[in-house]
Amino acid sequence: MIHERRTDHPLKSHVRHMFDRGFDEIVRKVGEESIELMLAAKNDDRQAFLYESADLMFHFLLLCEAQNVS
C-alpha cells in the first residue's frame, strides 16, 4: 500500500508528500516519533504510547520503502 501511494496516488497522500520532501525528512520523522514514543512510555501515558507507537510504525514503514525493503 505504501509503495502504491508513493507512486500512483494523488498528491494529497501523506505518503506521497513525505517522499516528495525527501529521504532526510523521512529519517527525521522516524527519529522524532521515536523520541515521542520514549517520552510517552516514560510518562506512563498509555493512550499517548499507543498513538506514538502507531506513528513510529508508520514512519518506519516509509523508511523501509525508501530503502527498498519490503
Side-chain angles (χ1 to χ4, degrees):
M1 179 183 259
I2 288 174
H3 179 75
E4 288 174 15
R5 289 191 178 188
R6 176 185 184 184
T7 57
D8 300 331
H9 206 268
L11 291 176
K12 293 178 184 177
S13 163
H14 180 65
V15 171
R16 179 75 179 263
H17 175 73
M18 288 297 294
F19 278 96
D20 286 348
R21 293 185 74 183
F23 181 75
D24 287 350
E25 180 64 13
I26 294 170
V27 171
R28 187 192 70 74
K29 283 297 285 184
V30 170
E32 176 187 317
E33 299 303 339
S34 297
I35 291 168
E36 290 174 357
L37 177 61
M38 291 185 310
L39 291 172
K42 181 182 174 292
N43 293 331
D44 199 26
D45 184 339
R46 181 174 171 76
Q47 194 64 29
F49 180 81
L50 295 173
Y51 179 82
E52 298 303 341
S53 294
D55 266 0
L56 177 57
M57 293 291 283
F58 173 75
H59 289 93
F60 170 73
L61 291 172
L62 291 183
L63 181 60
C64 287
E65 170 68 18
Q67 294 292 95
N68 295 314
V69 173
S70 60

